[in-house]
Amino acid sequence: DKIETLIGEKAFIKGNLKGEGTLKIDGAIDGNVDWLENVIVGITSKIKGNITCMNAIVKGYVDGNISCENSLTLDSCGRIKGDITVKNVIIAEGGYLEGKCNMISVKPSKNISE
C-alpha cells in the first residue's frame, strides 16, 4: 500500500493521532493512535500509548494495547508491551509480546429456520 502519512525518524509527537489511510511511524509518539486503516510501526519507532486500527505491522516498540479489526503482524525485531485484540495474528520468530492476546471471533450468522 501507498504510505499516505509518515512520521519521520527524528520526529517526536506528544498527543493523540487520528486519521485514515496508511500511516508509517518511524519516530516517537507519546499518545494514542486511532487510525481507520493500516498502521506500520517502523523499526526505529517508540510508541507509548494505545493503537486502534484495521491492520498493523509492528517492527519497532509499542508500550500500550493494540486493537486491530483485522490482522496484526509482529516482526522479528518488534516488541509489544501490552495486550492485543485481533482477528488474525502473525508473530515472527524473535518477535516479543508481553501481554495477553484476545482473538476476535466471527460469529456465524444464525439461520432463520433455527
Side-chain angles (χ1 to χ4, degrees), residues 11-107:
F12 173 75
I13 296 175
K14 186 171 179 115
N16 298 329
L17 285 178
K18 194 172 196 170
E20 60 184 273
T22 298
L23 167 67
K24 180 160 192 238
I25 304 165
D26 287 327
I29 297 177
D30 185 359
N32 297 326
V33 177
D34 185 11
W35 216 255
L36 291 178
E37 293 176 50
N38 304 323
V39 174
I40 302 166
V41 179
I43 196 166
T44 58
S45 64
K46 291 183 177 147
I47 299 173
K48 185 172 184 177
N50 299 325
I51 298 174
T52 304
C53 60
M54 180 68 68
N55 300 293
I57 299 172
V58 177
K59 298 180 180 189
Y61 178 72
V62 177
D63 183 358
N65 300 327
I66 301 177
S67 179
C68 298
E69 286 183 41
N70 194 19
S71 68
L72 168 71
T73 302
L74 180 56
D75 200 58
S76 61
C77 52
R79 297 177 53 86
I80 299 172
K81 185 177 180 183
D83 298 339
I84 61 173
T85 302
V86 295
K87 190 184 295 182
N88 302 298
V89 64
I90 299 168
I91 301 177
E93 184 175 348
Y96 179 81
L97 170 64
E98 181 182 329
K100 292 185 274 183
C101 177
N102 302 304
M103 301 298 290
I104 300 169
S105 62
V106 178
K107 296 181 181 178

